[in-house]
Amino acid sequence: MPRVKVAIVGPVFPFRAGIAYCTTRLAGELDADVVSFSRQFPKRFYPGGDDIDPTLPRANADFIIDVMNPLTWLRAGWRLRRYDAVIFVWWVWLFAPAYLTMIALLRRRTRVILQCHNVGDKEPAAWKRWLTDRVLRRGDALVVHAQSEAREAWTRSGGRQIVKTFLPVHELGGAIPSRADARVTLGIDAPNVALFFGHVRPFKGLDIALRAWRELKTDVLLVVAGEAWWERAAEYEALGEKSNVRFDFRFIPDSEIATFFAAADVVLAPYRIEAQSGVALTAFHFARPVIATTVGGLPEIIDGSNGILIPPEDPSALANAIDEFFTACDRAAMERAAAGSAKRYSWPEYAAVFAALVDGR
């Protein structure tokens, strides 16, 4: 029986952040060809800065899709006609016109699979929902990473095949230094360290963490490492003034990720909304417990042994959880549980889900 020819459409290295990592890793697991972007976002839709990480290697892919140039959508669509199955990486409404054009050009028998990192939008609007729904209804199967996402995908796709699975561990950052060495590198001499990592956008709740720091009874340094979107860095700095907070408002390249996570005792995810958290799964890779809110799929991966769950929009609950973590929890046991969670969410098992779908199973 001839091998099924598979392509993936989405961002890969050297595009930065977790979705590009996931696409690069999944393509390798499936031995799939990749059709990627020459331009992923117009500048106005990516307010953090450059979307390329110069410390990453360039993946083996055709970087031909310009999200602002319909001619490239047509070229990519014709390129994809040679494949039996195409996996489209989905997470934001902006790609709807390009994806719909490419899907329309596929052969009728080509199987279309949507890997949905987000079904909805983090800054929702009715017109974004309309565009997204047009794409969701074109998939033969939709893969999601949380039960809440599965329910939404079923409704919005008009009853397409929905496959709920886990988001795999994010093995980012290379070699892992010791906690002591990482703190020396970062110039940290605090006894207790919490990390807030990644793009700083309103839905991630940094303001909630900064308000919680005013209520802490324990001496804990909060390290904020990531790029502040929407020009809100000064607002966050004012909110954290006179608190034990260190801000590093810049894009953290892959070459520095291990240092930040290794230096931390616990990672914070006080999100207002989230499908699933690449930051939490990166924390597990570094054997770091996570304190997170009960939104989206976070309760499905944080079980009390590898972290603490709190209600959203509650700085006092976050402060209490941090105090509890540093004064009452068996931190060594929680680190072991976090490391065990990293092994549980494996890439080979995740790729097997897609292998079955491309075979029509």
Side-chain angles (χ1 to χ4, degrees):
M1 183 175 179
R3 176 180 175 270
V4 175
K5 297 174 65 176
V6 184
I8 300 179
V9 177
V12 289
F13 290 163
F15 287 111
R16 67 196 209 190
I19 292 176
Y21 162 76
C22 287
T23 310
T24 306
R25 188 67 185 269
L26 181 60
E29 293 286 341
L30 295 175
D31 192 24
D33 294 338
V34 178
V35 176
S36 192
F37 297 91
S38 58
R39 177 167 53 168
Q40 186 178 209
F41 298 105
K43 178 62 179 175
R44 60 181 295 194
F45 291 122
Y46 199 84
D50 193 359
D51 59 352
I52 297 294
D53 182 347
T55 72
L56 291 171
R58 186 178 178 88
N60 183 18
D62 289 336
F63 294 89
I64 61 175
I65 304 169
D66 182 337
V67 73
M68 298 300 291
N69 184 346
L71 291 177
T72 68
W73 313 346
L74 295 170
R75 189 177 304 123
W78 282 105
R79 164 87 167 74
L80 292 167
R81 287 177 61 84
R82 71 185 70 174
Y83 294 96
D84 303 302
V86 180
I87 300 167
F88 288 87
V89 180
W90 178 259
W91 78 102
V92 66
W93 61 270
L94 180 64
F95 300 127
Y99 279 17
L100 288 170
T101 299
M102 286 183 268
I103 292 171
L105 290 171
L106 297 177
R107 294 176 297 177
R108 291 181 61 87
R109 65 178 180 83
T110 301
R111 189 157 174 79
V112 175
I113 300 160
L114 297 175
Q115 181 198 34
C116 298
H117 289 276
N118 299 298
V119 173
D121 198 271
K122 299 297 173 54
E123 288 89 25
W127 58 271
K128 294 179 184 179
R129 183 183 180 91
W130 184 86
L131 280 170
T132 296
D133 289 354
R134 304 285 79 71
V135 176
L136 298 180
R137 292 173 185 175
R138 295 301 306 274
D140 295 304
L142 283 65
V143 178
V144 299
H145 304 121
Q147 193 58 49
S148 58
E149 292 281 284
R151 291 190 292 268
E152 185 174 359
W154 169 263
T155 301
R156 295 178 61 174
S157 69
R160 296 291 182 174
Q161 179 187 4
I162 309 298
V163 178
K164 187 268 175 185
T165 187
F166 56 84
L167 186 64
V169 65
H170 286 33
E171 298 168 332
L172 297 165
I176 303 174
S178 69
R179 197 185 322 255
D181 287 347
R183 290 184 180 181
V184 169
T185 299
L186 293 176
I188 293 173
D189 60 4
N192 303 312
V193 179
L195 175 65
F196 184 102
F197 187 86
H199 287 149
V200 182
R201 297 172 61 182
F203 78 89
K204 290 195 172 182
L206 176 56
D207 58 312
I208 297 168
L210 295 173
R211 290 186 174 92
W213 243 249
R214 300 173 181 176
E215 303 182 31
L216 284 185
K217 299 179 176 66
T218 313
D219 181 15
V220 183
L221 171 67
L222 172 61
V223 175
V224 179
E227 204 165 33
W229 284 29
W230 319 120
E231 300 181 350
R232 295 186 64 177
E235 177 184 334
Y236 292 124
E237 288 170 342
L239 194 56
E241 190 177 9
K242 298 181 180 179
S243 297
N244 193 11
V245 182
R246 168 176 161 174
F247 294 103
D248 195 347
F249 282 132
R250 63 185 175 92
F251 166 65
I252 308 300
D254 185 79
S255 59
E256 297 181 40
I257 288 174
T259 303
F260 279 95
F261 279 88
D265 297 301
V266 67
V267 175
L268 306 184
Y271 299 160
R272 294 180 163 93
I273 182 175
E274 185 59 290
Q276 195 49 273
S277 172
V279 170
L281 288 155
T282 304
F284 291 162
H285 171 59
F286 292 97
R288 294 300 182 258
V290 180
I291 299 175
T293 48
T294 54
V295 299
L298 287 168
E300 297 174 29
I301 64 171
I302 298 170
D303 58 13
S305 68
N306 57 10
I308 301 172
L309 288 169
I310 60 169
E313 300 283 359
D314 194 335
S316 295
L318 178 56
N320 291 337
I322 294 166
D323 284 330
E324 176 188 352
F325 177 81
F326 283 103
T327 62
C329 290
D330 185 339
R331 288 158 56 182
M334 294 185 80
E335 288 187 2
R336 289 193 296 272
S341 296
K343 295 177 181 177
R344 187 182 315 139
Y345 304 119
S346 75
W347 274 99
E349 187 176 345
Y350 182 73
V353 172
F354 287 88
L357 288 172
V358 300
D359 286 337
R361 290 181 274 144

